[in-house]
Amino acid sequence: MDRISKLLGLFILISWGYGCASLRPPLLPATSIKNASLEGYKYIYVSPTNSMTSSSGSTINGTLLSSSKTVNPADLITGIFIKEGLIRLPELKPELAEETLIINYGESGKRNTGGLGGYTLEVTIQLISAKTSSFVCSCTAEGQGSTEADDIRHAITRCLNELTPVKK
């Protein structure tokens, strides 16, 4: 009987967790500002970022179950642009400046969504002309997942979906 009670309790807890997850408020729409077209750019230089590691876990019947996730925003941004056909430069090259975008990343906000410590993380990505140092475009989006690494990954992907596909 004790085992059945524990299993029933676990089932109720899991069902409640999934139910609460569906009650999350929607994410704010991703936004972008475009001062110029991305056409004509072949290269990117992504400003370096630090990796972010976050963990989540729970205890079931006295056993700790945990997982750890890591994301490096610059690597994720690079991957998305490489997929669109651009070439990442390890350093800025003056002879390629006319065809190079400098990409900057920053975390730009955190919004409490209420209940169970829920929140979203917001990121902003800025694209600058390497030749003129002028603003080309930017995007902002928030993300929410089970860890902060998931939040960042989700936000970056939503943000860049506003700007890509870069090439047709």
Side-chain angles (χ1 to χ4, degrees), residues 7-136:
L7 287 173
L8 182 60
L10 181 61
F11 175 75
I12 290 170
L13 183 61
I14 290 171
S15 298
W16 179 73
Y18 279 112
C20 288
S22 65
L23 296 176
R24 288 181 181 167
L27 297 174
L28 297 175
T31 60
S32 63
I33 301 169
K34 298 174 184 171
N35 281 358
S37 170
L38 298 180
E39 298 242 349
Y41 291 101
K42 293 181 184 176
Y43 306 98
I44 56 169
Y45 172 79
V46 181
S47 300
T49 60
N50 294 322
S51 292
M52 196 278 197
T53 301
S54 55
S55 301
S56 64
S58 61
T59 303
I60 298 177
N61 292 331
T63 303
L64 176 63
L65 302 172
S66 66
S67 68
S68 172
K69 296 180 182 178
T70 301
V71 65
N72 184 317
D75 290 345
L76 181 58
I77 292 165
T78 297
I80 292 169
F81 278 98
I82 286 174
K83 187 176 181 180
E84 294 296 325
L86 286 113
I87 299 165
R88 181 181 186 179
L89 299 175
E91 60 190 40
L92 288 171
K93 298 185 181 230
E95 65 273 17
L96 301 175
E98 190 169 333
E99 300 172 294
T100 303
L101 286 168
I102 299 170
I103 302 176
N104 298 314
Y105 160 88
E107 292 178 29
S108 51
K110 190 173 191 175
R111 182 172 64 96
N112 184 348
T113 59
L116 301 177
Y119 62 89
T120 65
L121 284 180
E122 179 187 82
V123 303
T124 298
I125 299 171
Q126 178 186 63
L127 284 69
I128 305 294
S129 165
K131 181 181 180 181
T132 64
S133 297
S134 61
F135 174 85
V136 175

Side-chain angles (χ1 to χ4, degrees), residues 154-168:
H154 189 210
I156 289 171
T157 302
R158 290 183 71 235
C159 187
L160 291 179
N161 281 342
E162 280 291 300
L163 300 179
T164 56
V166 175
K167 295 183 156 193
K168 297 281 180 184

